[in-house]
């Protein structure tokens, strides 16, 4: 059995958007360190509470040591 985690990049009004993205990426890295098999990202447009408009660019912020690919 394989396990993964799901990330929405939810943006509460009280937290600056760069902080939300940085925190979510830190959690993705932690997920990899814990041995999870995958992560799942949402894609939402025209909403105020989600920051994942283009999940394809998020992997570019991952550390180079990541074993995950964008496939």
């Amino acid at each position: 059995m394989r396990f993964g985690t799901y990330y929405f990049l939810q943006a509460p009004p009280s937290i600056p958007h760069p902080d939300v993205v940085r925190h979510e990426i830190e959690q993705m890295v932690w997920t990899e360190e814990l041995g999870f098999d995958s992560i799942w990202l949402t894609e939402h447009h025209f909403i105020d509470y989600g920051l994942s408009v283009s999940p394809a660019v998020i992997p570019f912020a991952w550390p180079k040591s990541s074993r995950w690919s964008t496939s």
Side-chain angles (χ1 to χ4, degrees), residues 3-4 9-10 12-15 22 29 34 38 40 45 50-51 54 57-58:
F3 291 94
L9 281 81
Q10 189 171 358
S14 61
I15 301 175
R22 184 173 31 260
V29 170
L34 290 173
S38 62
W40 296 81
H45 301 276
L51 298 178
S54 181
V57 300
I58 292 176

Side-chain angles (χ1 to χ4, degrees), residues 8-39:
F8 183 71
L9 281 81
Q10 189 171 358
S14 61
I15 301 175
H17 292 177
D19 291 345
V20 171
V21 174
R22 184 173 31 260
H23 178 70
E24 291 290 293
I25 290 173
E26 287 172 359
Q27 286 189 3
M28 292 174 199
V29 170
W30 188 44
T31 298
E32 181 182 24
E33 290 171 358
L34 290 173
F36 283 78
D37 299 301
S38 62
I39 62 166

Side-chain angles (χ1 to χ4, degrees), residues 32 62-69:
E32 181 182 24
W62 289 342
K64 300 292 184 214
S65 61
S66 177
R67 64 179 167 84
W68 290 341
S69 68

